[in-house]
Amino acid sequence: GQSLEQPSEVTAVEGAIVQINCTYQTSGFYGLSWYQQHDGGAPTFLSYNALDGLEETGRFSSFLSRSDSYGYLLLQELQMKDSASYFCAVRLMEYGNKLVFGAGTILRVKS
Amino acid sequence: DTAVSQTPKYLVTQMGNDKSIKCEQNLGHDTMYWYKQDSKKFLKIMFSYNNKELIINETVPNRFSPKSPDKAHLNLHINSLELGDSAVYFCASSQEHLEAYEQYFGPGTRLTVT
């Protein structure tokens, strides 16, 4: 089976930096994706890491360590609009290349 | 232009009824998915089609039947609806199944079974 763990909630202030961690236990791991979902909205793709290291996309960065089965999403210069749920998802080497999502982390940004 | 669209957006129905949700993508993608998101926001894959061929069929009651008439459309039919089917159902697509890491989601269909 697979399991992913991420914190249920994180609170930070506007302008700050926040890190959302994701640890996983799975076989046949291909890579780790991150998605953002605002209340009432659809999940939207943020980033993907197949190799160890840091991927940067604007204010958001994502990191993966395959040896530690661990990744994180780093959000810099937090804005109120970043308040949302963030999901890590593992891409598995099963037929069909499915994504298995974590339970999500609610990020609350305060002014 | 909407990339992935679903109809209806809201669906309220009684137990025992049969209903369908339709999904269309205009991205030219080969692979489409159905997900169920429960009240705790847990997002779980149900089905995936690649070029009209079923490639993922998770442990889902056989009351749920997907149909892909062409690679731009993936519909979900649900028979004999139960209270536990109440959830938000999302359709998604990816360029192809090897690029499943980057999926584009539709706006969701909120199904309420009473």
Side-chain angles (χ1 to χ4, degrees), chain A residues 10 24 46 54 65 72 75 108:
Chain A
V10 173
Y24 58 88
L46 291 177
L54 192 67
S65 168
Y72 65 72
L75 298 87
R108 303 187 197 280

Side-chain angles (χ1 to χ4, degrees), chain A residues 35 43 45, chain B residues 3-4 27 29 33 91-95 102-106:
Chain A
Y35 284 77
F45 172 76
Chain B
V4 182
L27 297 167
H29 287 172
Y33 311 82
C91 175
S93 71
S94 64
Q95 184 71 49
E102 182 175 353
Q103 295 182 20
Y104 293 77
F105 284 76

Side-chain angles (χ1 to χ4, degrees), chain A residues 30 33 35 37-45 47-48 85 87 91 94-99 101-103, chain B residues 9 33 35 37 40-43 45 48 53-56 58 90 97-103 105-107:
Chain A
Y30 250 159
S33 293
Y35 284 77
Q37 185 180 25
H38 287 99
D39 268 352
T44 55
F45 172 76
S47 67
Y48 175 67
S85 292
F87 295 87
R91 178 188 169 208
E94 289 182 4
Y95 184 60
N97 270 265
K98 69 177 181 182
L99 277 187
F101 283 79
Chain B
K9 190 164 173 61
Y33 311 82
Y35 287 87
Q37 187 170 47
K40 294 185 179 178
K41 300 198 103 178
F42 184 63
L43 196 61
I45 190 165
S48 172
E53 181 189 348
L54 182 66
I55 56 171
I56 294 175
E58 291 292 286
F90 285 101
H97 73 281
L98 291 178
E99 294 184 28
Y101 56 86
E102 182 175 353
Q103 295 182 20
F105 284 76

